[in-house]
Every structure is written in C-alpha cells, then in structure tokens.
Amino acid sequence: MKYFVRMERVEFEMFANEILSRLPTKCVARLRCVSKQWRYELSSHLFAIIHYRRTAKYEDHKLITLTKSSIVLHNLISGKVDISSRKIISFPVDTCLSNLTILASEYGLLLISIHWLPNELILWNPTTNKFLNLCDKKPKNFFDLQKDAVGIYIDSSNDVKILLLQRRKDDVVPRVYSRNTCEWKTLTFLKGPDYGSSLYWLSSGTLCNNVLYFPSPHYWTPAKSYTIAFDMDSETFSKVSIPQCTDVIGRQSSFFFQNPQHTSYVYIWKHP
C-alpha cells in the first residue's frame, strides 16, 4: 500500500512540475485550494523555482518603491509603470522601514538588511510575504553593511543559494547559504593583501551566465579598482578586469547586465 501511495505522489509531483508549472501565477494560486495535496505540492520550493523559470519571461515585472512610511508595489507592463496596479504591501518583520536597505534581487526574491537589530540579513519573497532570517548564532558580527557584500543564485540542483562575502580584519571570508539545507558553509577565497583592505568597497553581486560579479572600487584611486568573479558551478573565485572610469573622483558601486529573464523585481528607494 505504501508503495502505491508513494508512486501516486511521485506521479502527481511530475504532473505539477511538468504541467501546472506552465500556468500563470493566478491560476496556480487558485489550484492550491483544490486539496491539501495540491496545496503542498504547489507551495514547494522546487515547484516555485520551476514555475518562475518557465513564466518569468512572460509575466509582468514588478516595481517596488520603498519609503520611510510604506512599501508600494506596481506592475511593469512593457517597461512602463501601471499606476492602476498600485498596491501597498507590508514587511513581515516588525521594524521601522527607514532601517531597511535592499541589497540584491533575483528570482523574485529580495535580500534586505535591517539595521539596529543588529544588521540582520533577510531573504524575502514580496509575492508570498514569506521570509527567512539568514543570521547565524552571532548576529552582531554577521553582516556589516559598510564592509560586506551579498549575491543570490540558483545552482544546478535548483537550490537557492546566498553568497556572503564577510570582510573581517583585513581578510575576506566567503560563506554560502543553502535554502535546501538551511545551513552555511565556508569557501576558500583568493590570496592577496588588497582584498580585505578598508580602501576598497564591495558592492552586491550581479549574476550573469552562472557567474556572480562583485565590483570592488577603490575609494580614492579608481584605477586600482577591480572586480571579483564567483563561478557558481565550481564555487571558485577569480579576479577579472572590468573597465573603470578613471577620470572621476569617488567610487563605482555596481553594474548590471541586461537579462530580463532573471529579474522579477525592480526596486527604488524613494526619499520623502
């Protein structure tokens, strides 16, 4: 009997991942009300990833406007903001919105830093309003907004992962969080005296062709700036040359690649 129950569940899981994952989000939301089994399978992490990858290029993107008093969500249709779709959403953690800083976004997820909690790192899905607090047992030393950098990617096994570059005592410690195992592991970083120097500033990672790029501009000498590349398949780091502006004083904080299939949210910090 257990064998047949297992086979039935496997067959339904295949049906959900191969057929139902091609339906629009609103249809999937309605189908979750069919039964407990349908709700369980259509709410699974694996189904969410498969559904996103298949429908992201067809569905409208979202625009999030963050102010000190509210978080506003709009639809983006053909690159234009749909004013009639305005919707105010709430942040799932009880904190002042002025304490929030959006660090990165990918696959419909936002990485957010909350200051004074202290400096907690939150993985948030604005569509479902579900979140994860990624801090380990020592939150005071977990994330430093001025020194550290983060990025989001999905590996070959459809596991959502968070790469955190912690800069401590003139050294960079890379750590990777697995959504499947809910655990952190430490990787090996590059050797060199400059990587952890306070004269450099790390920006959030930009994903392109299975590589996360972290620009590391020099505070005073732009010509000394470099970019760190993380290969998500081999989990190794390298130093690459990206053209930098050498005729300006200041820092280049980030860059982006036009890849709409991997961007579901555009976010803006709007000052009051």
Side-chain angles (χ1 to χ4, degrees):
M1 179 64 69
K2 291 183 179 180
Y3 173 79
F4 288 107
V5 171
R6 174 58 183 168
M7 285 298 297
E8 182 180 350
R9 185 185 172 201
V10 170
E11 290 176 358
F12 183 80
E13 182 179 342
M14 293 177 61
F15 168 70
N17 293 339
E18 295 300 324
I19 305 300
L20 301 184
S21 63
R22 304 177 189 277
L23 298 176
T25 302
K26 291 184 179 180
C27 292
V28 173
R30 288 195 293 266
L31 290 175
R32 286 174 181 167
C33 301
V34 172
S35 67
K36 290 183 178 180
Q37 181 185 15
W38 282 58
R39 184 176 185 83
Y40 176 80
E41 295 294 347
L42 300 184
S43 300
S44 70
H45 172 65
L46 176 60
F47 178 83
I49 296 302
I50 295 175
H51 181 261
Y52 174 80
R53 286 185 165 177
R54 285 180 172 164
T55 60
K57 59 184 178 181
Y58 302 111
E59 295 189 342
D60 297 327
H61 292 181
K62 308 293 184 181
L63 173 71
I64 286 184
T65 304
L66 192 62
T67 73
K68 287 187 176 181
S69 59
S70 64
I71 302 177
V72 182
L73 182 66
H74 286 94
N75 290 332
L76 285 178
I77 301 177
S78 300
K80 297 182 180 181
V81 178
D82 180 11
I83 303 299
S84 63
S85 66
R86 185 178 186 273
K87 178 181 179 181
I88 296 179
I89 58 177
S90 60
F91 190 66
V93 179
D94 185 16
T95 184
C96 179
L97 295 183
S98 60
N99 291 336
L100 302 182
T101 297
I102 300 178
L103 305 171
S105 66
E106 204 73 47
Y107 306 105
L109 303 173
L110 298 180
L111 266 177
I112 297 181
S113 171
I114 306 179
H115 320 303
W116 316 120
L117 277 184
N119 285 349
E120 291 191 355
L121 192 61
I122 303 294
L123 180 64
W124 179 40
N125 186 335
T127 302
T128 62
N129 211 31
K130 293 183 178 180
F131 74 99
L132 282 175
N133 189 330
L134 303 179
C135 291
D136 58 9
K137 297 180 180 179
K138 298 179 180 179
K140 289 185 178 180
N141 301 316
F142 180 79
F143 182 76
D144 190 322
L145 185 61
Q146 303 301 321
K147 297 179 180 179
D148 304 339
V150 292
I152 310 176
Y153 66 97
I154 294 182
D155 64 13
S156 57
S157 64
N158 285 322
D159 184 9
V160 175
K161 291 189 173 179
I162 310 300
L163 176 62
L164 168 63
L165 301 182
Q166 294 178 316
R167 190 169 61 192
R168 302 290 185 271
K169 298 181 179 179
D170 294 330
D171 193 15
V172 176
V173 179
R175 303 177 65 193
V176 172
Y177 179 86
S178 167
R179 178 66 180 84
N180 286 346
T181 64
C182 298
E183 295 180 349
W184 288 91
K185 73 174 182 179
T186 303
L187 303 178
T188 301
F189 198 67
L190 302 170
K191 301 294 183 180
D194 292 338
Y195 296 117
S197 172
S198 59
L199 294 177
Y200 290 87
W201 181 76
L202 285 171
S203 80
S204 296
T206 299
L207 182 63
C208 181
N209 295 330
N210 295 341
V211 177
L212 273 172
Y213 293 92
F214 295 87
S216 185
H218 193 279
Y219 270 97
W220 308 114
T221 311
K224 294 183 179 181
S225 301
Y226 57 84
T227 297
I228 296 172
F230 172 74
D231 188 303
M232 50 181 273
D233 295 323
S234 62
E235 293 191 331
T236 58
F237 295 87
S238 61
K239 182 178 179 180
V240 298
S241 298
I242 298 294
Q244 303 283 340
C245 293
T246 59
D247 57 347
V248 297
I249 297 177
R251 62 193 188 197
Q252 292 172 256
S253 61
S254 62
F255 56 87
F256 69 92
F257 298 94
Q258 186 173 354
N259 193 354
Q261 294 171 331
H262 290 291
T263 305
S264 62
Y265 284 96
V266 177
Y267 54 85
I268 293 177
W269 181 278
K270 182 179 179 182
H271 294 283

